[in-house]
Amino acid sequence: AGGSSSSDSPERDGLASYLWQRRALIGELTLQHLGLCGAGLGLGLLVAIPLGLWLERGSSQLAEGTIRLIGTSQTIPSLALLGFLIPFLGVGVVPAVVALWLYSIFPILRNTYSGLRDASPAAVEAATALGMTPRQVLTRVRLPLAVPTIMAGVRTAAVITVGTATLAAFIGAGGLGVPIIAGVQLVDGRQILSGAIPAALLALSVDALLGLVERQLRPRSL
């Protein structure tokens, strides 16, 4: 048992030392990764939430059909989507952000629509009986009640975006996929982990941060 423990220690120390030596590069790549994810997720929010509000006001058949159509973007492999965008947008940051944007729309849209549609009917009826206009009911009752569901979609989209952004390195967009791809090519496990570990920690951190935002936005009555 003692021999096994001593043989494992250098490997752990080797990885820790490797990560420490490359901390500046990892930090730079993490910021690049965060920038790509933030841009893609931000654009997704700008499109998905207003679209969800609009669809909820129309027919359910139109809404479901639109959401399902947009949901087909989730079935396209990430590398295939990036490859499809290259002839139109070239390589680098722009096609990467567009791909992340397309992947982020569906979960936010689905949850925005569902959250508004399923907002407490009793609360909506009471607000209407008190004389609130449809706009007031939306902004003061339905949207606040839908916040937990909407934020669940945002958190899902954020985690998907952080994971998918590692593939952006294939088209020269940078990010934490750079050491992963280089490590695969060189069959270097430490280099792969120098990108994979920060990416996983980034996904967990973003999800935790959005959880705090959700708690701040959630109505106290919930």
Side-chain angles (χ1 to χ4, degrees), residues 35-101:
L36 292 171
C37 296
L41 185 63
L43 291 172
L45 287 168
L46 289 176
V47 171
I49 291 180
L51 182 57
L53 292 171
W54 180 74
L55 289 175
E56 196 278 331
R57 296 172 65 87
S59 70
S60 59
Q61 290 183 340
L62 173 64
E64 288 295 336
T66 303
I67 293 172
R68 288 197 186 102
L69 179 63
I70 293 175
T72 58
S73 64
Q74 304 294 307
T75 66
I76 304 174
S78 305
L79 284 177
L81 180 57
L82 289 170
F84 176 78
L85 292 173
I86 286 175
F88 302 98
L89 302 175
V91 297
V93 172
V94 174
V97 169
V98 170
L100 296 175
W101 167 56

Side-chain angles (χ1 to χ4, degrees), residues 5 23 39 99 105 114 119 135 169:
S5 175
R23 64 188 183 279
I105 291 175
S114 298
R135 188 182 191 86

Side-chain angles (χ1 to χ4, degrees), residues 151 155 205-216 218:
M151 286 303 300
R155 293 171 71 174
S205 300
V206 168
D207 183 64
L209 178 61
L210 290 174
L212 293 175
V213 173
E214 177 185 343
R215 280 195 286 274
Q216 293 298 317
R218 181 192 295 260

Side-chain angles (χ1 to χ4, degrees), residues 180-192:
I180 295 176
I181 294 171
V184 170
Q185 293 172 338
L186 298 173
V187 196
D188 186 341
R190 294 186 308 174
Q191 195 164 2
I192 294 173

Side-chain angles (χ1 to χ4, degrees), residues 123 141 144-145 218-222:
V141 180
L145 290 174
R218 181 192 295 260
R220 295 187 181 276
S221 60
L222 297 179

